[in-house]
Amino acid sequence: MRYEVDFLVIGSGIAGLSYALKVAPYGKVCILCKGEAAEGSTRYAQGGIAAVMYDSDSFDKHIQDTLVAGDGICDRSVVEMTIREAPDRIRELVQYGVNFDKSRAGDRFDLHREGGHSEFRILHHKDNTGAEIERGLLEAVYSHPNIEIKEHQFAIDIITQHHLGQRVTKHTPDIECYGVYALDCKTNQIDTYLAKVTLLATGGMGNVYTTTTTPIVSTGDGVAMVHRARGVLADLEFMQFHPTSLYNPAEKPAFLITEAMRGAGAILKDHKGNEFMHKYDKRLSLAPRDIVARAIDNEMKIAGVDHLYLDARGIGKDELINGFPTIYAKCLELGINITKDMIPIRPAAHYQCGGIKVNRDGESSIHHLYAAGECACTGLHGGNRLASNSLLEAVVYAHNAAMSAIERVKSRQLCHQVPDWNAEGMVLNEEMVLITQTKRELQELMWNYVGIVRSDLRLQRAFDRLNLIFRETEDLYNRSVLTEELSELRNLIACAYLIIKMARARRENVGLHYSIDLV
Ligand code: FAD
Ligand code: SIN
């Protein structure tokens, strides 16, 4: 099938949905998502969204906290712009129907505090803020007559001049995006979507690693597509590991224990129940994430254990049950009463700070291709994202991209010369085990060699092993009918390659990139 739209959006998380709502008055919008519409990291966000809403806080303080967490390599002008725009974007979310918790009197937002923040500035909805944002935005999108949302449509590749038979390299100056090819996961057909402008809002790549808080759809598809289309990517060595995922080895994705719990007074403890953060940072359990995750990793390695603890018992029963109902219920299900028991935790891959390089309008290096949300690299996070700045970045850049796309679409024609996908001569690969086993190998090698602590030797090993996995998978790809699983595997391999390549090139320990050879 061939489809033609003005605005094509890949992804239905906070970035894709908020962009779609803004461009919808100016043309036909189609949102593709590879799973169900609500599935993505957005709905799992717990802590909330950071913004300066009252005079007790200031833009300067939020800017400073973001720059400090980013370890000196944020783009200062981007940080300033994003943080100053935050209150307007929050008010829009509220207008779309998103509810944030209010104070008892109901006149102010109730604000939480998280690691690296010098003030209470996290707007939240109990401990399930992302689910509330996703609900509010999806309802607004479903009721908009110009927006069509199509589930189980897997974007495979960005269409560029390459598909018109022209040679495209990373030095080609004017690579253009004409839309995407997408696999309809129900019919197994590959459809052609032609668009005047396209937004990638495909989220993160946590599934490159064995243990991750991100959902199964987070396989770095947007980044991998841009890599194949020869677009510019940046900062992928900065994978953020959240210090406190619930230790429950069989569960995928790993369930998050929000940092807001540490903001409310929960304390990290070692396997014997002793505090240890004083050995690492004077901000103790509320130090920025990179420092806390490394400290936990180190303590686990010294003691030879596979988890430590978060002690929330000091917070008080009422506050725990009412303020963190999702975590309370989840732990209880596993026999852990958080008002009485310490919570077993370990770090998990959580957020990719790098991604598709975009300018302040969300434009990638490929013309008519925008990116927003976790798949984009704006310069806001530098070497390490400050907690709750991700949802914020997503709405700010979705807005900027929308304003720019609305202008671009006016003078843009669809490219009707694009051919349909050619699957001739391909056979259905019957051996799923080839894919599932390779994916497991990839995740393990990334976890063991390219995780929280790296070294030159580990990165070299990872690179060599990845090379083999890459060759085997490309061979499979060249002879098989394309499936979602194979496509995701190729994308994970591409992301792993980019993380390793950028990690090897980074010759200093900064932010989330830490190598024992660079100490
Ligand atoms: P997502 O919400 O991940 O959505 C991605 C979308 O892209 C999905 O619809 C998916 O189906 C679609 N997609 C992907 N690939 C394809 C493809 N090939 N074809 C078609 N569709 C595709 N950040 C904060 O600021 N505050 C928090 O409190 C917070 N808590 C978090 C808690 C957890 C457990 C996790 C995992 C993350 C948390 N984060 C938080 C990070 C934040 O939630 C994410 O960075 C953010 O939600 C990403 O939004 P997004 O719109 O970019 O992508
Ligand atoms: C959390 O609630 O701890 C996650 C916040 C974030 O990832 O920004």
Side-chain angles (χ1 to χ4, degrees), residues 392-408:
L392 173 62
E393 182 197 50
V395 276
V396 168
Y397 272 82
H399 170 83
N400 293 3
M403 295 305 113
S404 168
I406 289 164
E407 284 309 307
R408 291 241 177 246

Side-chain angles (χ1 to χ4, degrees), residues 109-412:
F109 291 113
D110 177 51
L111 301 175
H112 276 169
R113 187 176 166 201
E114 292 177 335
H117 287 274
S118 55
E119 292 289 341
F120 285 75
R121 64 167 74 97
I122 317 295
L123 290 105
H124 61 98
H125 181 271
K126 300 205 178 292
D127 60 352
N128 54 19
T129 312
E132 171 58 18
I133 291 176
E134 188 71 21
R135 181 207 60 76
L137 290 177
L138 264 181
E139 275 181 20
V141 159
Y142 278 127
S143 60
H144 202 296
N146 279 3
I147 309 178
E148 182 184 15
I149 186 156
K150 297 179 83 172
E151 298 182 321
H152 304 287
Q153 306 298 317
F154 189 110
I156 295 166
D157 264 321
I158 295 158
I159 306 172
T160 68
Q161 292 97 320
H162 167 78
H163 299 94
L164 302 178
Q166 295 167 28
R167 185 173 140 77
V168 175
T169 70
K170 63 180 182 198
H171 303 296
T172 305
D174 289 309
I175 309 177
E176 282 194 53
C177 171
Y178 306 122
V180 305
Y181 291 117
L183 172 71
D184 182 327
C185 302
K186 295 205 164 129
T187 64
N188 285 330
Q189 297 299 309
I190 295 178
D191 299 323
T192 307
Y193 284 84
L194 297 182
K196 292 183 180 168
V197 292
T198 302
L199 172 83
L200 291 177
T202 48
M205 55 175 73
N207 286 284
V208 167
Y209 290 90
T210 317
T211 306
T212 177
T213 58
T214 62
I216 52 165
V217 294
S218 304
T219 52
D221 300 350
V223 166
M225 286 192 270
V226 169
H227 171 59
R228 284 195 290 275
R230 308 287 187 261
V232 177
L233 302 156
D235 291 355
L236 289 160
E237 66 275 36
F238 300 123
M239 169 59 72
Q240 185 171 73
F241 291 80
H242 197 291
T244 57
S245 77
L246 180 65
Y247 176 72
N248 182 26
E251 185 170 3
K252 270 183 185 260
F255 181 82
L256 186 77
I257 306 293
T258 178
E259 203 158 305
M261 205 170 240
R262 275 176 282 139
I267 293 167
L268 288 163
K269 299 209 166 150
D270 67 15
H271 67 298
K272 290 186 177 156
N274 299 318
E275 290 185 37
F276 61 88
M277 275 308 297
H278 56 278
K279 292 190 257 171
Y280 299 92
D281 196 282
K282 63 177 187 314
R283 289 161 290 187
L284 306 174
S285 292
L286 277 176
R289 250 172 224 182
D290 55 337
I291 295 169
V292 181
R294 268 199 302 277
I296 294 176
D297 185 67
N298 196 40
E299 291 290 318
M300 280 173 29
K301 284 193 173 124
I302 291 170
V305 294
D306 47 14
H307 67 272
L308 302 184
Y309 291 101
L310 184 67
D311 189 349
R313 294 173 295 187
I315 293 180
K317 196 171 170 183
D318 283 355
E319 196 181 334
L320 274 180
I321 295 175
N322 298 322
F324 302 97
T326 317
I327 296 175
Y328 177 74
K330 171 75 190 180
C331 289
L332 212 53
E333 220 178 273
L334 299 174
I336 305 160
N337 180 343
I338 63 172
T339 66
K340 295 186 185 144
D341 306 318
M342 293 197 293
I343 308 169
I345 53 94
R346 68 171 169 183
H350 179 65
Y351 181 85
Q352 175 52 258
C353 295
I356 304 158
K357 185 88 188 116
V358 294
N359 64 16
R360 286 163 72 111
D361 288 331
E363 291 174 302
S364 75
S365 63
I366 299 177
H367 296 316
H368 310 292
L369 181 70
Y370 292 80
E374 191 166 337
C375 68
C377 177
T378 64
L380 175 70
H381 309 309
N384 178 32
R385 173 179 68 98
L386 183 65
S388 289
N389 266 359
S390 163
L391 295 171
L392 173 62
E393 182 197 50
V395 276
V396 168
Y397 272 82
H399 170 83
N400 293 3
M403 295 305 113
S404 168
I406 289 164
E407 284 309 307
R408 291 241 177 246
V409 86
K410 292 178 187 160
S411 55
R412 177 87 171 145

Side-chain angles (χ1 to χ4, degrees), residues 318-519:
D318 283 355
E319 196 181 334
L320 274 180
I321 295 175
N322 298 322
F324 302 97
T326 317
I327 296 175
Y328 177 74
K330 171 75 190 180
C331 289
L332 212 53
E333 220 178 273
L334 299 174
I336 305 160
N337 180 343
I338 63 172
T339 66
K340 295 186 185 144
D341 306 318
M342 293 197 293
I343 308 169
I345 53 94
R346 68 171 169 183
H350 179 65
Y351 181 85
Q352 175 52 258
C353 295
I356 304 158
K357 185 88 188 116
V358 294
N359 64 16
R360 286 163 72 111
D361 288 331
E363 291 174 302
S364 75
S365 63
I366 299 177
H367 296 316
H368 310 292
L369 181 70
Y370 292 80
E374 191 166 337
C375 68
C377 177
T378 64
L380 175 70
H381 309 309
N384 178 32
R385 173 179 68 98
L386 183 65
S388 289
N389 266 359
S390 163
L391 295 171
L392 173 62
E393 182 197 50
V395 276
V396 168
Y397 272 82
H399 170 83
N400 293 3
M403 295 305 113
S404 168
I406 289 164
E407 284 309 307
R408 291 241 177 246
V409 86
K410 292 178 187 160
S411 55
R412 177 87 171 145
Q413 303 299 318
L414 296 173
C415 178
H416 292 287
Q417 296 78 37
V418 168
D420 284 334
W421 183 269
N422 182 0
E424 251 172 58
M426 304 294 185
V427 290
L428 191 62
N429 163 41
E430 305 282 359
E431 292 192 83
M432 262 303 283
V433 66
L434 294 179
I435 294 173
T436 48
Q437 176 55 23
T438 306
K439 184 169 162 189
R440 224 174 283 137
E441 274 176 48
L442 170 81
Q443 291 169 332
E444 276 178 18
L445 84 84
M446 289 301 288
W447 184 259
N448 290 323
Y449 295 141
V450 199
I452 298 173
V453 176
R454 302 162 178 176
S455 74
D456 289 345
L457 182 62
R458 289 178 205 177
L459 292 177
Q460 180 65 49
R461 282 210 175 168
F463 198 76
D464 293 344
R465 281 155 178 72
L466 188 70
N467 215 346
L468 180 65
I469 288 177
F470 168 74
R471 279 188 277 117
E472 285 171 357
T473 307
E474 284 308 286
D475 180 50
L476 193 62
Y477 169 74
N478 287 328
R479 13 187 206 96
S480 308
V481 169
L482 199 53
T483 60
E484 194 177 344
E485 293 80 7
L486 181 55
S487 204
E488 278 186 347
L489 177 61
R490 287 184 83 223
N491 292 341
L492 288 170
I493 292 171
C495 291
Y497 163 77
L498 291 161
I499 294 172
I500 298 170
K501 187 175 131 192
M502 293 191 197
R504 291 176 87 186
R506 176 75 61 186
R507 297 313 298 164
E508 58 175 343
N509 280 339
V510 59
L512 295 153
H513 176 66
Y514 185 86
S515 164
I516 51 176
D517 292 316
L518 300 174
V519 179

